[in-house]
Amino acid sequence: MSQHQILNPADHGQLRIHTEAGAEYGDNVMASLAMPAEFREVQAHYPIVFRRDAETGKLAALALFGFEAGENLFLNGSTWEARYRPMAHAVQPFLIGRAAEEGAPPQVHIDMGHARVSTNGEGMRVFDDAGTATPYLEAIANMLGDLDYAWHESEAFFTALEAYSLVEPFSLEVTLDNGAVQTLVGFQTIHEERLAGLDGEALAALMAEGHLARIYMVLASLAQFGGLVARKNRKVALG
């Protein structure tokens, strides 16, 4: 259960965080939110797909780690077998909080109910003995700032996709080496035919706004499904 608190040295002076990978720390997840600003890094490791919120209808991008809930095929014990993790996942258990006052700067919050919060005295210190932020916390704060900026910036990207009708539902069905069929449904991807059919003016507009490169990064990321299937086959073979 989430227990969000404003991070401060008075209340969290002795706080330590488990930073290693592990299912016990919440890494056994199928996907993570991915910001368009990090597509270049994400597409080098994971397929990028879109999901539409059932209530609002808004699009979000996801980096896929597996094919089913609770499955992270990049997680091997205490090792995450990829050089990059999406910011929304890597920053946990920290998050951005908004002050009640209009125009007040965002605050660093922590979810004290998260599994990464240490209860055994092990892990990375958040504050030193003088109550000063450790280099670890400074790095987290920088990542939170980048994530917050990227989140707000992403709205223009998704608006452009909708304006040019550039997303379509897709499904994936793969037969594994043992004969089992693995399916993936409920996601969307770039509509390549509509993209190819855009006129020069539309393409120029997408390029000028920085959206076109990110669209092609999404398309390029689909090649990572081959690696994801290979990881699934290895997992099944190992039992």
Side-chain angles (χ1 to χ4, degrees), residues 10-94:
D11 295 324
H12 308 109
Q14 300 302 313
L15 182 67
R16 291 179 179 266
I17 303 296
H18 293 293
T19 57
E20 61 270 33
E24 65 271 33
Y25 302 130
D27 287 336
N28 54 337
V29 289
M30 173 186 177
S32 167
L33 282 173
M35 302 298 118
E38 60 180 339
F39 280 178
R40 186 181 302 276
E41 292 82 9
V42 172
Q43 63 85 31
H45 303 283
Y46 317 103
I48 300 171
V49 297
F50 303 123
R51 182 176 60 191
R52 195 177 294 278
D53 187 275
E55 295 183 3
T56 67
K58 289 187 175 182
L59 288 171
L62 298 174
L64 286 183
F65 307 147
F67 289 101
E68 53 194 88
E71 177 181 71
N72 183 345
L73 296 170
F74 293 87
L75 186 62
N76 183 7
S78 61
T79 301
W80 188 297
E81 296 179 333
R83 294 188 306 275
Y84 185 83
R85 285 183 290 167
M87 290 187 290
H89 187 84
V91 80
Q92 296 175 6
F94 300 93

